[in-house]
Amino acid sequence: MEGFCNGLHKSPHKGFSVEFKEHRQYVHGDEIRTIDWKLFGKTDRLYIREYEDETNLRCNILLDKSGSMGYCGSRAGGVSKHDYAVRLAACLGHLMLAQQDAVGLIHFDDAVRRIIPPRSKPTHLTAIVNELSGLKAERETELSSVFHQLVPKIPRRGLLVIISDLFGNIEELMKALAHFRHAKHEIVIFQIWDPDELDFPFKQWTQFQSLEQKSHRRLIDPAHLGKAYLKNLATFREALTAGCHRNRIDLVPVVTDRPYAEALASYLATRRRLR
Amino acid sequence: MSFLNVALLGGLAAFAIPLIIHLLNRSKFKTLDWGAMHLLDSVVANNSRRVRLEQLLLLLIRCAIPALLAFCLARPVLTGWQSLPGDAPASTVILLDNSYSMDAIGASGTRIAEAVDDTRLIVDSSGKGSDTSVILTGGSPAPMFDTPVFDSKSITDQLPFLDSGRGATSLADSLELGASVVSAMANSRRNLILISDFQRSDVDALTPAAIERFRQQIDSQAVPPSITLIQRSGDAEQNIAIEDVQLSTRALGVGQQLKVRVRVKNYGVSDVPEARLQFIVDDRLVGVTELAVAGDATAQALFVHKFDAAGSHVLKFEVDAGDDLKTDNQYLAVVDVIDSIEVLMIDGDPSRKPMESETDFLAVALTPFSLGQMPLADLVETRIVKTDEVDQQTLEWARVVIMANVAKLDDERTAKLQDFVQRGGGLIVFTGNKVDVDWYNRVLHQQRGLFPLPIQGIGGGLDDGDRGARIVAQHFDHPALQIFNSGNSGSSELAQADIAQWYVLTKPASTSDNRIQAVSNKAKADASGTDPQASTLIRLDSGDPLWVEKPVGKGFVMACATTADADWNNLPLRPVFLPLVQQLVTSIATRGVPASNLTAGETLVALYDAAAADTTQVLSLPGNKQRSLRPVADQQRSVIRFAGTNQPGLYTLTQPDAPPRHFAVEIDRGESKLETIDAEQLQTLADALGADVVTDGAAFLALDSSRRHGREIWRLVLFALLGLLFVELFFQQRFSRVRQ
């Protein structure tokens, strides 16, 4: 089975490695460079050399770049949730490729915007980072429909790292995540929070304007509604945690006032202990 | 409902302050781009109605707090709320008539005793927290205590020592003061009670305009008082009174004769065949006479007395006829007998021949008894000096200096003379042929101010063909000349004298009390070079002033435009010259001496040497009361002024090493006629005043219990306000607990 660290056991899949596994007869469509020309000289038949594929990780990083990820509170040191998510994705990509795991990147908002398939080549990091650097938080989120769309586009099971604030309908989201799980993907969710979203520190009358839909505004007195917001938040997080636990999904809440490296290291250490 | 402080109702507008703060807060919001809108949406959807209600509730409470405070400060009174007698505190002003007519004795005692009983009953019945002010209306109305008192006992303790026998009551002044006092009192239940005998003379003096003013004063009050009239008229009718005592106005010396004319009036209708009138001097009976006084008629008696010693003497007159009112049966007067008036005469034209010296006629006129070797005493003591004999010593001796035809004085003597007049001395200047006109105009008039008007030239002439002048027979205003207004030595006597020659003095600007006129006079006087303070005493038919007078410092200067001897006129040869000179000399010597006979309420003034400043003098008042007074330094002397002479009687200033000084304070006899208004007229007066009439204090209490009074509710409002403050705090904590 696949692992997070590089190939420690054999893989049942064939692939490109130094260990020869078997020959098989050439069929139309096989790459010509894989033909064993020596054997062709001996047998006058075209055979393909197949090598044993080394165990490695196929990881797809699913990055939410919707408008809500653009929030940047005063305590986040000028780093928006989107910035934080991009850096976290780049960091994960670097770590994976450093272990020769294959890493791919999928970013989306209300639809899938780009899919970079997983590769394990070190140079693949450049492609991922280039893609990440050009992203902007915009548009609305439609997590569940996007996830449902993605399931057939990720044929090989692997690790899905979802980096998002997961703002949306929890039931629909859980169904979508269950769909992934059904396809045998392992899922880790880094849920990005701004400190303001967790403690709602506002005092005076404020007009809250949606980052995803500018016409959506709410003028409220936080002194009177703060309590209800926090209660609502707690309910949301409890439901999310319960849903993830039910689907055996690792939910890692990350707050943007905490260094992402630290958050990542903390999660990896936890995961290593679990193994 | 009405309000005691209506102006403070304006504070109700303060309710807008929380509203404005709320609206400002709402309008000053910040806009925030927010991601977690889905978390907010449900919160807003579920809570907006509740939050709006909470905010509305808090806003209403906060608006109500300042409005309630203003309402509370305006002191609302629920006028439709009847309170039990003695239950709610009341503010009461009692106008108690203590004029001397209230001393009249009737079948049931004196009127004032009945009025005091009524006052005591009303004060004793006042409830807890009530404040009362008793205003004594006799003479000038004055409260018994400076401020209304809440302790009724302090008033009832004071009532037995009430000063009665005061002057006539002015109902207009008393009602005005009562309305003014009651308007500033503490409680919403207010009473204004007038207890009086309601004499016809007092009621007649209350004009419809005064009643209208009083009604306006009452109507303008936030809580108008209930007005009640209590009449205590008794049944006294007979009264005989000393109406007036006339003393000779001339200054009186030791051994000189004083004539006193006493007028006794019978105010009743029945005749009094034998009224015994006593004349008492310094507690010694010196004369008694019996008078028959017909009903509603006046009788006169004349007393004559000589005084053996100088000083202040008390004259007391008493009439006894068994009438109902004794207070006006007495009359007090004070006579200040002076030892002598020292007159220094500077003779500018001395002669050894009889009656040819310039001062000979003056000496005869001033000391007729001494020169005639008669047993009577002269008031004036004279000394005649020449111009070069005038020095500090002679000036210190003199009270009056007469310059008779003096050519001129040197600067040193002129300065001393000026200082003498400034300190209060009198100077009389007679002119004549020796006079240096230029020196008189330049030095004596212009520089020193000792000659009232400048000399312009000579009028008339001594030749046979020259036309002389005579004194204008007129009514004299000057006190020294008032004896010439009537009687044997009338002004016609003066007018018969021939004035052959005289100095034409610049006519003075006529003096006037009218300020605008006075200013205009001053402008005229400045233009003509005359002194605006100079006034003409006697005028010639040529229009020129003959006698002029002018105050200088504390003293006075008189000038005569003609001679003191018979050179230029024949006045010294006429009998009228003696009283004229005597009057003018005694007048100038005693002018500025404060009066010893005062009417009630007039300020008592006593003069002392400058050395007496800040020493303690004791003033004995009627009723065995005493006051310590200190003379206040006033230029070259010190002065005591005492304004509290409301009570008639004898006031005596005693000093350790000097004879006492007496002052007699008498009242106007306006209330001696005991006639009071009847019940019908009283009801008419009550209707005009908007008052109720009751017979006595008990009837007032019964009436008061039946009246509907308002009740102040500011305490209730204050409690509501405090409650709201707590509720606001509670809701504010409860609604915004999320802030922590």
Side-chain angles (χ1 to χ4, degrees), chain B residues 90-93 182 189-193 225-226 700 704 707 709:
Chain B
S91 293
T92 306
V93 171
V182 80
R189 188 181 149 205
R190 295 174 179 180
N191 284 308
L192 178 62
I193 306 163
S226 304
F700 165 77
D704 188 46
R707 280 175 176 155
H709 290 287

Side-chain angles (χ1 to χ4, degrees), chain A residues 71 167 196-197 200 202-211 214 216 218-221 223-225 227-229 232-233 236, chain B residues 22 25-26 28-44 47 50-51 54-55 58 735-736 738-739:
Chain A
Y71 183 73
F167 289 166
D196 289 354
E197 293 168 339
F200 208 66
F202 311 108
K203 299 288 181 200
Q204 67 186 82
W205 280 87
T206 309
Q207 179 169 263
F208 292 90
Q209 178 174 280
S210 174
L211 281 162
K214 290 294 180 189
H216 184 191
R218 294 284 185 193
L219 176 62
I220 62 165
D221 181 7
H224 288 92
L225 285 180
K227 184 184 173 188
Y229 170 88
N232 203 18
L233 173 72
F236 173 73
Chain B
H22 175 80
N25 273 345
R26 276 203 70 150
K28 282 170 65 179
F29 60 83
K30 64 173 185 179
T31 300
L32 183 70
D33 287 331
W34 183 249
M37 285 304 280
H38 76 291
L39 291 176
L40 269 185
D41 285 345
S42 57
V43 166
V44 172
N47 295 282
R50 176 185 61 84
V51 168
E54 285 176 358
Q55 286 186 347
L58 265 181
F735 294 161
S736 57
V738 286
R739 286 178 182 169

Side-chain angles (χ1 to χ4, degrees), chain A residues 142-145 147-148 166-179 235-236 238-244 246-247 249, chain B residues 38:
Chain A
E142 203 53 63
L143 286 176
S144 52
S145 68
F147 287 173
H148 282 302
L166 300 183
F167 289 166
N169 187 304
I170 293 180
E171 284 183 18
E172 294 298 323
L173 177 66
M174 284 305 151
K175 282 181 188 169
L177 291 174
H179 197 174
T235 310
F236 173 73
E238 277 170 19
L240 203 60
T241 308
C244 290
R246 200 164 51 244
N247 289 308
I249 297 169
Chain B
H38 76 291

